[in-house]
Amino acid sequence: MAARIDHLVTSGTFSLDGGTWDVDNNVWIVGDDTEAIVVDAAHDAEAIAEALGGRRLIAIVSTHAHNDHIDAAPALAARSGAPILLHGDDLPLWKQTHPERSPDGELTDGQVISVAGTELTVLHTPGHAPGAVCLYAPALGTVFTGDTLFQGGPGATGRSFSDFPTIIGSIRDRLLTLPPQTVVRTGHGDSTTIGAEAPHLDEWIARGH
């Protein structure tokens, strides 16, 4: 059976630079009836475990280390035995949330994660966070972008560890070069496609945030 994509929305808070906001996060589960990976273990380990059912969890992949994307990762790892994977450049952010617990493995640009016979390639896309990554699954016609690219533009770059020119470069060079029909599955909100977002790059640059 080919891999499928299951979608869960969990709710909690995002905290950085002394502020806290209520947020809803997209949790993506990629796999078949036997095994799966979780993209961003946000807020509710129990709900994610329930959505997984009896499937073997191969890995918990973190698109970046803002607390709302990783707060449930250690609890889910403890329940499932799955390793938490994060790009090394986001370790300083990770330690703000989980000072006593390190990720189990490091994501690197070009790395391939296989689940249920389907390959997901890690694309390092810094800007929203230094170690932000996207996961491109050509066989599924999709890219999981975390908070790098949303419907309507780039992720926020107004807080610590983020940079607007860097995120624009990541989107332009790593994402908008993907096939236009590629579905963009984001960290928050609705999905979009590369083709729907690509024409707006100059507008985003002109807006400057």
Side-chain angles (χ1 to χ4, degrees), residues 93-178:
L93 270 170
W94 171 277
K95 289 180 189 303
Q96 290 186 7
T97 303
H98 301 301
E100 307 301 321
R101 164 72 157 96
S102 295
D104 303 295
E106 196 165 304
L107 296 171
T108 56
D109 187 58
Q111 177 181 347
V112 174
I113 298 168
S114 295
V115 60
T118 299
E119 293 190 339
L120 297 93
T121 300
V122 176
L123 308 176
H124 182 211
T125 52
H128 179 70
V133 300
C134 299
L135 299 171
Y136 177 45
L140 300 177
T142 200
V143 60
F144 300 92
T145 57
D147 288 0
T148 295
L149 178 62
F150 290 106
Q151 183 183 60
T157 52
R159 302 191 182 99
S160 298
F161 299 97
S162 65
D163 182 72
F164 181 74
T166 303
I167 201 172
I168 288 293
S170 292
I171 292 170
R172 182 187 60 230
D173 300 338
R174 308 307 304 277
L175 297 180
L176 300 187
T177 52
L178 300 176

Side-chain angles (χ1 to χ4, degrees), residues 7-187:
H7 177 216
L8 189 66
V9 177
T10 58
S11 300
T13 58
F14 164 57
S15 300
L16 189 65
D17 297 341
T20 297
W21 301 266
D22 292 327
V23 286
D24 296 325
N25 284 62
N26 293 324
V27 178
W28 303 101
I29 301 173
V30 185
D32 57 14
D33 289 341
T34 306
E35 62 182 28
I37 65 167
V38 164
V39 181
D40 288 343
H43 307 309
D44 192 338
E46 197 168 316
I48 299 168
E50 198 173 301
L52 281 163
R55 293 181 278 178
R56 181 170 67 93
L57 185 58
I58 292 176
I60 300 162
V61 183
S62 305
T63 61
H64 62 295
H66 284 152
N67 73 290
D68 56 319
H69 291 257
I70 60 165
D71 49 4
L76 186 62
R79 291 177 72 131
S80 63
I84 301 167
L85 307 180
L86 177 76
H87 193 282
D89 290 354
D90 259 19
L91 275 174
L93 270 170
W94 171 277
K95 289 180 189 303
Q96 290 186 7
T97 303
H98 301 301
E100 307 301 321
R101 164 72 157 96
S102 295
D104 303 295
E106 196 165 304
L107 296 171
T108 56
D109 187 58
Q111 177 181 347
V112 174
I113 298 168
S114 295
V115 60
T118 299
E119 293 190 339
L120 297 93
T121 300
V122 176
L123 308 176
H124 182 211
T125 52
H128 179 70
V133 300
C134 299
L135 299 171
Y136 177 45
L140 300 177
T142 200
V143 60
F144 300 92
T145 57
D147 288 0
T148 295
L149 178 62
F150 290 106
Q151 183 183 60
T157 52
R159 302 191 182 99
S160 298
F161 299 97
S162 65
D163 182 72
F164 181 74
T166 303
I167 201 172
I168 288 293
S170 292
I171 292 170
R172 182 187 60 230
D173 300 338
R174 308 307 304 277
L175 297 180
L176 300 187
T177 52
L178 300 176
Q181 67 273 21
T182 305
V183 177
V184 176
R185 299 179 196 268
T186 59

